[in-house]
Amino acid sequence: MITQTDLITKNYIGGQWHELNEKGRSVYSPSNINEKIGDIHYSTPEQITAAVSAAREGFKTWKQKTGVERAACLYKMADNLEKAKETVANLASREMGKPISEMIGEVMRGVNLLRYYAAEGVRPDGQLVPASDQHVLQYSKRVPLGVVALITPWNFPVAIPIWKIAPALICGNSIVWKPADNAVFTAGLLMEVFEDAGLPAGVLNLVIARGRSIGDILLEEGDIDAVSFTGSTSTGMQIASACAKRNIKYQTEMGGKNAAIVLKDADLEKAIPMILSGAFRSAGQKCTATSRIIVEKDIYSDFINQLRAAVSNLTVKDALQADAYLGPVASKSQFDTISEYVALARNEGEIIAEGNVEQSNQGYYIRPIVVGKVDASHRLFTEEIFGPVAAVVEVENFEEAVRLCNQSEYGLSASIFTNDMEKAMRFLEEAEIGMVRVNQETAGVEYQAPFGGMKSSSSHTREQGQAALDFYSQVKTCAIKYSF
Ligand code: NAD
C-alpha cells in the first residue's frame, strides 16, 4: 500500500517560500519503498541566481548586527530545533534511513552546535598587536566573508548543515544552502523550524537544485565569496578547482577509508563493541566509519571468534523501530553500489562475520559483513565503500599496522585499541590522519573539537570548534595613529 503525502520541495529565498519550476522524481523511504515521502522539484538557473541576490541583500543587514544580536537568533534557532527534535528526527529517519535513536542524537548535536556558536557572539574576535611607533593602536579583528554557499551531503542531514550554518551566521555571513537529494525534505523542515528565529530576510536561503546545475551556475558564475562543501572526494575536487579558478575561499571535507588497529594487549571485550559501532552504525554511511580493521597476529583468531559472535547478534531493522541499531542504506544507488562490494567480498574474499536482517517491508536492507582473506592492495581495503562492509587483515606487529593505516589516499580518522601507552602515543604521532583516537571508535568526534582530514580527505581546513570561525571569517589588521 502506498502512503501518499504531499511534501514537495520548495526554495526558501529572501524570507519566503518559492515553488519550483522543474519537476524531478518522487522519493520513497529506504525502510519501506512503498512509503512515499514526497516529490522533488528543482530550481531553474534563474531561481539559483535569485537566491544569491537575496543573500547579497541579506548580507548588508546581517553584517551590521552585533555579535549579541546574531547570538539571539542562534539561541532561538536552537530552542526551536530542540522543541521540534522528534518531528525532525522522524522525517530524516524516514527520508534517509538512519535509525531513529541515532537521528535524535544527531538533532541534539545540531542544537548544541547552535548554542556553542551563539556563545561566540560575545567572545573576543581579534587581538591587540603591539605597534613599533608611539601612540598607535594596532589590532586585528575577524570580518565576515560575505555570501557563502554551503553544499551538504545526505548522511548527516541535520548536523552537517548546522555545523556550517551556525559558524557562518555568527561570523556575519549570509548563506545559500544546497542540500543533497536524499535529504531535501529534512532540509525544508529545518528551514521551517528556523523561520521565526529573527534572521533578517535573505540571510539564510535554501535552494533545491541538481548538483550539476549548482556546479555550473553557482560555482562558475554566482556572486559568492566562499564555498564550504562536504561530500565525495570526486565532487570535492571539482568544487576546489572551480573555486581556485575564481580565487574564492573554499573548504572541502571528503571521503575516508578509516582504520581501527587492534594490538595484542587490547581489551577485546571493550574494543569489539566500539569497532562494530564505528563500522556499522548508520549502516556504515559515515565518512568516519571504520572500514579497515588491522589486527596483530598474536590475537587474530581470538579477535575473529569474538567479532563473529558479536556481528551475528546485529540485526538490520526498519529505521523507525526504537531499538534499531542499523537501518537500511539510504537509497537505491547506495544499495546498488554497496551490493557490488558485497558480491566482490563473497567472490574474492572470505566472509568472516555476518549479521541479520529483520523486516516486514521491502527496503534497501543490507546485512553487515566483515570480510577477510583480502590483501592490503585489494579494492575492499583501499576504496571507500560507504556501507556496512569492513575488511580485516592480520599484521605482524605495531609497525606494520601503522604502515598499513597510512597506506591510503585518505587520512580522515583512525583508532588504535591498546593498553600500551608508548604504542598509543607513537600511533598518535605517526598516523597521517586528521582525527586519531585511542580506545575509542573512529566515528564520533565531538562538536567542540576540530573536524577534518589529511591527504585526499580534505582541503586541509577544519570544521567545528574554533577552527570553523577561521574559515567563515577573514582577518583585518587595523592601525590608528591617535597622536602626532
Ligand atoms: P556527493 O559528492 O555525491 O554529494 C555531496 C553534495 O554535492 C550534494 O549536495 C550533491 O548534490 C552536490 N554535488 C554533486 N555534484 C556537484 C557539482 N558538480 N557541483 C556542486 N555540487 C555538487 O556526496 P554524497 O553521496 O552526498 O555523500 C557521501 C560522501 O560524503 C562520502 O564520500 C563521505 O565520505 C563524504 N562525507 C564526508 C564528510 C567529512 O566531513 N569528511 C562527512 C560526511 C560525508
Side-chain angles (χ1 to χ4, degrees):
M1 192 186 75
I2 292 189
T3 322
Q4 289 283 356
T5 64
D6 57 358
L7 288 179
I8 297 175
T9 54
K10 291 187 181 142
N11 279 353
Y12 185 77
I13 297 179
Q16 288 183 340
W17 292 96
H18 296 262
E19 298 205 350
L20 298 174
N21 302 345
E22 188 196 322
K23 287 201 171 141
R25 64 189 173 89
S26 299
V27 175
Y28 297 85
S29 172
S31 289
N32 175 4
I33 56 172
N34 292 317
E35 182 197 344
K36 187 170 169 185
I37 307 291
D39 293 311
I40 304 188
H41 291 189
Y42 292 107
S43 306
T44 57
E46 294 72 30
Q47 288 170 316
I48 297 173
T49 307
V52 180
S53 303
R56 187 57 66 194
E57 276 308 300
F59 177 58
K60 289 182 191 157
T61 325
W62 190 239
K63 74 173 175 188
Q64 305 294 348
K65 301 275 183 201
T66 64
V68 173
E69 289 167 329
R70 290 181 200 146
C73 296
L74 268 75
Y75 280 123
K76 181 80 166 83
M77 289 164 80
D79 292 347
N80 287 1
L81 183 58
E82 191 166 22
K83 279 188 209 128
K85 75 170 183 242
E86 308 277 345
T87 316
V88 173
N90 188 287
L91 178 61
S93 192
R94 286 171 56 226
E95 185 176 15
M96 49 67 74
K98 185 173 291 192
I100 186 71
S101 58
E102 241 187 300
M103 204 51 240
I104 286 177
E106 182 181 333
V107 175
M108 284 313 295
R109 184 186 182 106
V111 171
N112 290 331
L113 281 156
L114 284 160
R115 291 188 178 137
Y116 175 89
Y117 286 110
E120 291 303 321
V122 292
R123 297 235 165 84
D125 68 351
Q127 286 181 325
L128 193 62
V129 184
S132 316
D133 277 358
Q134 280 192 335
H135 308 308
V136 171
L137 174 66
Q138 179 166 258
Y139 61 94
S140 67
K141 72 189 293 279
R142 289 182 193 282
V143 294
L145 299 170
V147 176
V148 299
L150 308 180
I151 303 174
T152 54
W154 47 265
N155 66 328
F156 282 89
V158 173
I160 290 182
I162 292 178
W163 85 42
K164 296 179 191 292
I165 290 171
L169 288 180
I170 203 67
C171 289
N173 303 286
S174 63
I175 293 170
V176 176
W177 171 30
K178 189 281 201 230
D181 263 20
N182 288 340
V184 278
F185 297 108
T186 305
L189 180 57
L190 274 182
M191 292 302 301
E192 279 180 39
V193 167
F194 296 152
E195 222 178 337
D196 73 345
L199 292 170
V203 172
L204 178 56
N205 305 281
L206 172 74
V207 285
I208 307 301
R210 295 179 197 275
R212 210 179 37 245
S213 36
I214 284 294
D216 292 350
I217 300 158
L218 192 62
L219 303 184
E220 297 284 339
E221 300 162 13
D223 179 21
I224 54 173
D225 299 294
V227 178
S228 176
F229 164 86
T230 301
S232 61
T233 298
S234 59
T235 311
M237 301 299 268
Q238 289 175 41
I239 287 175
S241 139
C243 294
K245 262 194 246 156
R246 300 179 57 188
N247 192 30
I248 57 175
K249 195 171 183 182
Y250 66 88
Q251 71 177 175
T252 52
E253 283 305 329
M254 306 177 279
K257 185 71 184 172
N258 313 298
I261 296 175
V262 189
L263 295 188
K264 60 186 174 201
D265 69 325
D267 180 337
L268 293 187
E269 259 179 45
K270 294 202 175 106
I272 285 174
M274 285 189 261
I275 290 170
L276 295 192
S277 174
F280 297 136
R281 284 224 170 232
S282 293
Q285 301 167 116
K286 291 183 187 175
C287 53
T288 48
T290 305
S291 150
R292 300 181 291 157
I293 310 172
I294 301 170
V295 186
E296 220 174 349
K297 69 169 187 201
D298 309 53
I299 49 145
Y300 186 78
S301 11
D302 268 3
F303 176 81
I304 295 299
N305 289 338
Q306 291 188 39
L307 183 81
R308 185 177 290 126
V311 177
S312 71
N313 286 328
L314 294 182
T315 304
V316 187
K317 294 183 179 174
D318 183 318
L320 282 183
Q321 290 205 16
D323 65 344
Y325 180 91
L326 281 96
V329 299
S331 61
K332 171 141 188 353
S333 93
Q334 274 293 99
F335 182 83
D336 291 345
T337 310
I338 299 162
S339 298
E340 279 173 29
Y341 282 106
V342 171
L344 194 64
R346 293 193 192 284
N347 294 336
E348 295 184 15
E350 180 185 313
I351 305 298
I352 279 176
E354 185 157 12
N356 315 288
V357 172
E358 182 189 292
Q359 36 115 2
S360 46
N361 296 314
Q362 218 185 329
Y364 300 126
Y365 295 94
I366 295 187
R367 287 169 201 277
I369 57 167
V370 179
V371 55
K373 294 262 163 67
V374 285
D375 69 34
S377 59
H378 195 277
R379 288 178 55 205
L380 290 164
F381 208 75
T382 57
E383 294 175 9
E384 183 181 48
I385 299 174
F386 221 54
V389 177
V392 60
V393 294
E394 182 179 345
V395 289
E396 282 295 317
N397 51 31
F398 168 78
E399 284 71 21
E400 190 185 0
V402 176
R403 189 177 57 73
L404 281 193
C405 172
N406 286 339
Q407 189 179 298
S408 171
E409 64 171 301
Y410 299 109
L412 192 57
S413 70
S415 296
I416 194 164
F417 292 90
T418 181
N419 287 310
D420 182 330
M421 181 61 95
E422 186 198 321
K423 292 202 172 119
M425 292 304 292
R426 278 182 55 202
F427 165 75
L428 296 177
E429 279 165 18
E430 291 169 28
E432 294 159 4
I433 307 284
M435 294 172 287
V436 275
R437 318 187 87 205
V438 175
N439 295 325
Q440 284 188 296
E441 63 173 276
T442 55
V445 173
E446 292 183 62
Y447 65 86
Q448 68 275 31
F451 185 104
M454 294 181 179
K455 301 198 265 186
S456 295
S457 290
S458 150
S459 58
H460 320 293
T461 57
R462 292 288 178 268
E463 302 204 82
Q464 296 199 135
Q466 297 293 296
L469 303 173
D470 293 337
F471 178 74
Y472 290 104
S473 62
Q474 49 195 333
V475 172
K476 195 175 258 187
T477 304
C478 310
I480 309 163
K481 177 107 175 142
Y482 54 83
S483 175
F484 288 93

